[in-house]
Amino acid sequence: MIISFSSKILNEGAQPPKSLSIDLKNQVSSVYAIDAPASIVYQRGNSRMLVVFEIERAHESEALAAKFALEHSAALNSLSDGELIFFDENTREEILKIDAAVLSNAKTAVEGMYTSTKYQFNQA
């Protein structure tokens, strides 16, 4: 699976996302009369998604892992909101596309020659 945000590939080596979580929230309202057998539920098209996942990467040395963490964080900081797209790595078919995604949190940790970046995206 390839993951792209604002035209930047987040998992350059097609590393699968770890701990992928997608939370869909939909605000609805219901109207019902006392003692009525059913109610009317309104959904006004105001659903929002929260997507959280982690990408682990291996590097050739500890120094390159630290350098990647710094450069990757700076690159993420320069991105504005955009499209978050999950592609099939073989067919390039879109699996999920969020047109107005905002990177609300990103944390990169370095452990020796490995980095782990946790991303959190909100639908704008």
Side-chain angles (χ1 to χ4, degrees):
M1 178 181 307
I2 304 291
I3 305 167
S4 169
F5 173 62
S6 196
S7 300
K8 177 176 177 45
I9 302 296
L10 298 179
N11 57 342
E12 302 82 2
Q15 303 92 333
K18 178 182 173 186
S19 305
L20 176 64
S21 169
I22 301 170
D23 185 14
L24 176 65
K25 292 188 179 186
N26 196 0
Q27 189 173 10
V28 296
S29 60
S30 58
V31 177
Y32 57 93
I34 297 173
D35 295 329
S39 64
I40 300 172
V41 177
Y42 294 99
Q43 192 277 338
R44 309 219 187 268
N46 55 357
S47 63
R48 294 289 177 249
M49 286 184 131
L50 172 69
V51 180
V52 180
F53 59 91
E54 191 172 344
I55 301 292
E56 293 180 339
R57 298 169 178 89
H59 304 273
E60 293 180 14
S61 69
E62 291 182 17
L64 288 175
K67 179 181 176 186
F68 170 82
L70 296 170
E71 290 176 347
H72 188 64
S73 297
L76 291 175
N77 191 45
S78 69
L79 296 175
S80 59
D81 61 333
E83 293 178 333
L84 176 64
I85 307 171
F86 291 78
F87 292 97
D88 181 285
E89 62 198 68
N90 298 319
T91 65
R92 291 289 200 203
E93 179 184 349
E94 289 181 5
I95 300 168
L96 172 67
K97 179 179 179 181
I98 300 174
D99 290 322
V102 176
L103 179 61
S104 58
N105 192 16
K107 180 179 180 180
T108 301
V110 180
E111 280 191 45
M113 296 177 10
Y114 299 94
T115 58
S116 176
T117 305
K118 185 172 185 178
Y119 303 91
Q120 178 176 316
F121 292 91
N122 290 76
Q123 186 177 19

